[in-house]
Amino acid sequence: MPEGDCTNRRVRPRDAVTEAEVEALVRGICFKNGPPATVGVELEWLVHDRHSPRLPVTSARVETARAALRTESLHSAVTVEPGGQLELSSLPAASLMECVSAVTADLTVVRDTLRPLDLTLTGLGADPWRAPTRLLREPRYDAMECWLDRAGEAGRRMMCSTASVQICLDAGYAEPGPLGFARRWRLAHLLGPVLVAAFANSPVQDGRATGWRSTRQAVWAGIDPGRSGAPALDEEPRAAWARHALDAPVMCVRTADTASMADTADSADTADSADAGRSGAADGVPWLVPQGLSFRSWVRSGLPRPPTRGDLDYHLTTLFPPVRPRGHLELRMVDAQPGADGWVVPLAVTMALFDDAQAAETAYRTVKPLAERAGVTPAPHSPLWLDAARDGLADPELREAATACFAAALEALPRLGAGPEVLAAVAAYSDRYVARGRCPADDLLDELDAQGALAPGKDVPR
């Protein structure tokens, strides 16, 4: 470049994205249409000391466990969450039973690997005893903690003390009907509170009953709606999600990209746009944690540097609504479940209600009236979602909906090839909980109350 051109004039890099390109990318990559054909599950587990679950587990013990698991051959990807939770993410499976078989085998290996380390997996939606403590020191989590801490304690609780069963299903057909993606998107948001209530399993925090059957869901509702909320349901899903993603706050600007594009952003611009707090470092350079910067405004301003396709992909991973479109639909509202295979029941019930056309139609007719109670506030902050988290199936309307949905799922599961052990597990769960207006949280409260193990209640951070 001639010396005379060395000014503050900004040049758009060839790999930067425009606002129109971002909107088109989000529409294209987040809803991929086709017949429902695959299923997956992501299982988060609390990791406890096998003999003393109330004791903290050190980062050294978590790292030892992670190193040991790296030597095992697993079907699922295994990752460690910021508070030491362990997550297994299955590959897409061609059937429910293929998914169940593969993940069950992986869990056997994981438990066998953890046992000599005196560690165990615990299926609870929120840690009932230990304070939220971040064990992983990585730039992504440094940035997340810095951003979330601005709004209070809920974000750190979410990062370090919660665990879930996340069910992944194909987005569905482009055409209308019970298996169409628009119907499935709406069904996911109306069925979501029923799943929250039926599988609520986190009533205790810091050794105290919180007053919520799903404290985990209450914690999520305490996070900024721009990050944890769903878009409005009264418009076409792809347009609604693209708008939501563009208007959502940017959590961080990664320094690896900043360094590679330093010729397009001067240091003064970077300093003005960054939060004063440092969130982490890559190659010794702090990541930036902007304040009040949406992705749309980042694209328009180009500051602290123009965003790239990689920045967009990363931004989408920092959005945590209860239903997240990632090409498929990721349903994120179910608490981690008790027992070695308790996770199978929400997976089987949810898949049946989405992928069997008859059950999907029944489920949609059942939950459609709940839309009025949900109101205009998006999930998970609406009255319906909060009632589900607080009351579980003690709520008569949610209990009635759950009863109808479990019956439809039990009828559909044989058509989806479910084995007898899965059918028996779903039927037993329906009898033990749904028919009685209970959820696993009620069992835990009864048990701890009988032991005199609960301190007086307290409020959940919101």
Side-chain angles (χ1 to χ4, degrees):
M1 179 182 293
E3 184 175 344
D5 288 340
C6 293
T7 67
N8 287 331
R9 177 172 60 88
R10 302 181 63 82
V11 179
R12 177 178 176 250
R14 280 179 289 180
D15 54 352
V17 287
T18 67
E19 190 170 342
E21 289 169 343
V22 168
E23 185 169 347
L25 284 167
V26 173
R27 285 171 172 262
I29 64 180
C30 291
F31 288 92
K32 295 180 180 177
N33 299 133
T38 60
V39 61
V41 69
E42 298 176 16
L43 303 179
E44 294 174 339
W45 301 86
L46 303 177
V47 177
H48 284 154
D49 183 276
R50 196 156 61 91
H51 307 290
S52 303
R54 301 191 187 199
L55 293 179
V57 175
T58 65
S59 57
R61 293 182 74 186
V62 171
E63 183 53 43
T64 298
R66 178 159 60 172
L69 289 169
R70 286 188 185 129
T71 67
E72 302 292 344
S73 178
L74 301 171
H75 301 89
S76 307
V78 178
T79 54
V80 176
E81 296 296 299
Q85 311 98 308
L86 203 66
E87 178 177 275
L88 273 73
S89 302
S90 76
L91 293 171
S95 70
L96 172 64
M97 295 312 298
E98 180 183 318
C99 182
V100 169
S101 297
V103 176
T104 298
D106 285 345
L107 282 170
T108 298
V109 173
V110 169
R111 290 191 172 93
D112 288 346
T113 303
L114 294 182
R115 190 174 297 110
L117 304 175
D118 281 336
L119 295 174
T120 188
L121 302 179
T122 302
L124 284 168
D127 197 304
W129 312 119
R130 304 177 303 182
T133 303
R134 188 159 65 92
L135 301 182
L136 295 190
R137 297 294 166 182
E138 299 176 2
R140 168 183 171 88
Y141 299 127
D142 292 347
M144 184 183 295
E145 182 177 86
C146 180
W147 195 94
L148 290 169
D149 276 354
R150 294 170 181 162
E153 186 186 348
R156 193 172 295 211
R157 290 273 181 188
M158 174 273 289
M159 289 177 64
C160 301
S161 299
T162 62
S164 68
V165 176
Q166 298 175 17
I167 298 140
C168 302
L169 301 167
D170 290 317
Y173 289 105
E175 297 80 11
L179 300 184
F181 80 94
R183 170 72 72 85
R184 287 161 73 86
W185 175 250
R186 187 168 181 82
L187 173 61
H189 288 87
L190 294 178
L191 181 65
V194 179
L195 299 177
V196 169
F199 297 108
N201 186 37
S202 51
V204 178
Q205 178 177 282
D206 298 333
R208 297 174 172 87
T210 63
W212 298 79
R213 261 58 167 212
S214 178
T215 301
R216 172 186 167 273
Q217 193 61 42
V219 166
W220 276 102
I223 297 171
D224 177 77
R227 191 155 308 283
S228 66
L233 292 182
D234 58 354
E235 59 181 308
E236 196 274 333
R238 289 170 297 190
W241 180 249
R243 182 178 299 107
H244 182 76
L246 274 164
D247 292 335
V250 173
M251 178 176 285
C252 63
V253 178
R254 297 172 297 164
T255 48
D257 288 350
T258 303
S260 68
M261 299 172 64
D263 59 327
T264 65
D266 60 45
S267 60
D269 290 337
T270 301
D272 290 343
S273 301
D275 183 64
R278 293 190 171 190
S279 66
D283 299 325
V285 182
W287 284 30
L288 308 178
V289 183
Q291 188 140 17
L293 178 71
S294 70
F295 202 89
R296 189 188 303 276
S297 58
W298 186 13
V299 172
R300 290 178 176 178
S301 70
L303 300 176
R305 57 169 177 77
T308 66
R309 166 67 188 272
D311 290 314
L312 172 62
D313 292 341
Y314 185 82
H315 172 67
L316 294 174
T317 71
T318 69
L319 304 182
F320 309 120
V323 183
R324 183 162 65 174
R326 304 183 64 187
H328 58 273
L329 299 182
E330 182 183 79
L331 281 69
R332 304 168 50 85
M333 71 287 296
V334 175
D335 282 358
Q337 295 297 289
D341 55 2
W343 57 273
V344 173
V345 176
L347 173 65
V349 169
T350 306
M351 182 183 176
L353 296 178
F354 276 80
D355 286 8
D356 180 86
Q358 184 176 333
E361 189 62 35
T362 299
Y364 187 71
R365 289 199 308 268
T366 297
V367 300
K368 189 176 180 181
L370 296 175
E372 182 176 351
R373 183 171 164 190
V376 297
T377 305
H381 305 88
S382 75
L384 176 63
W385 282 75
L386 295 176
D387 289 346
R390 182 183 298 106
D391 301 329
L393 292 185
D395 183 296
E397 192 174 11
L398 290 170
R399 177 181 178 179
E400 182 180 357
T403 300
C405 287
F406 267 72
L410 277 166
E411 183 180 318
L413 281 168
R415 296 194 290 266
L416 296 174
E421 66 280 7
V422 171
L423 293 173
V426 174
Y429 193 98
S430 183
D431 291 341
R432 178 175 179 177
Y433 295 115
V434 179
R436 300 168 62 201
R438 290 174 61 86
C439 57
D442 295 307
D443 286 355
L444 182 60
L445 288 172
D446 289 348
E447 177 185 346
L448 295 176
D449 186 58
Q451 297 172 0
L454 289 176
K458 61 172 287 186
D459 291 334
V460 176
R462 294 288 308 284

